């Protein structure tokens, strides 16, 4: 008589299918991943706020102040005096600069006291002032050749 077909060896217990997890194990996994959800949502929010501008444009005036300030989060901050009509008090517009190259350009051009055009982007809803004290971030500067207002 012939021997019957050999039976395959049993599967090791370490190869368990995903469906074999118990409801308790799934609950523990869900509870352990739950704190990550706010962090991921905050990261997405911060990515949108920092990359999508609310508005952008140009402001013209006389650069009054430009400095780097802060203790932990050092940012470049400035003031632009915008005059609408000669003889009236100027409107002061505060701005921040993110890019070190633009800050270096402002410093090297020696534009303090000169009439300049600043191109800016407005970012609203930034949760901290580590990016700047204002919502207006300058990303370009040029000197106005005609100095008469």
């Amino acid at each position: 008589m012939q021997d019957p077909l050999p039976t395959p060896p049993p599967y090791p217990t370490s190869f368990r299918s995903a469906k074999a997890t118990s409801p308790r194990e799934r609950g523990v996994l869900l509870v352990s991943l739950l704190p990550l959800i706010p962090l991921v949502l905050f990261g997405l929010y911060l990515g949108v706020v920092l990359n999508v501008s609310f508005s952008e444009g140009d402001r013209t005036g006389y650069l009054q102040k430009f400095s780097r300030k802060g203790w932990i989060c050092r940012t470049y901050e400035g003031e632009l005096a915008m005059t609408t009509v000669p003889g009236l008090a100027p409107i002061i517009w505060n701005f921040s600069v993110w890019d070190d190259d633009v800050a270096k350009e402002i410093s090297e051009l020696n534009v303090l006291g000169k009439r300049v055009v600043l191109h800016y982007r407005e970012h609203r809803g930034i949760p901290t002032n580590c990016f700047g004290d204002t919502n207006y971030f300058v990303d370009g500067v040029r000197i106005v050749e005609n100095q008469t207002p």
Side-chain angles (χ1 to χ4, degrees), residues 30-89:
L30 180 66
V31 169
S32 64
L33 292 178
L34 200 58
L36 293 178
I37 293 172
L39 291 174
V40 169
L41 290 176
F42 180 72
L44 289 173
Y45 171 77
L46 196 59
V48 168
V49 166
L50 293 177
N51 291 313
V52 177
S53 62
F54 177 75
S55 69
E56 68 177 276
D58 293 325
R59 299 265 178 138
T60 304
Y62 294 92
L63 192 64
Q64 273 190 189
K65 180 177 96 171
F66 187 71
S67 62
R68 188 166 187 215
K69 61 189 239 181
W71 292 357
I72 296 173
C73 301
R74 296 187 57 83
T75 60
Y76 293 98
E77 306 294 329
E79 287 182 356
L80 187 73
M82 301 182 302
T83 58
T84 54
V85 177
L88 291 180

Side-chain angles (χ1 to χ4, degrees), residues 2-8:
Q2 259 184 346
D3 289 334
L5 294 174
T7 59

Side-chain angles (χ1 to χ4, degrees), residues 128-144:
T128 178
N129 64 353
C130 274
F131 299 101
D133 287 344
T134 67
N135 291 334
Y136 303 101
F137 299 94
V138 170
D139 58 3
V141 60
R142 70 178 191 272
I143 297 177
V144 176

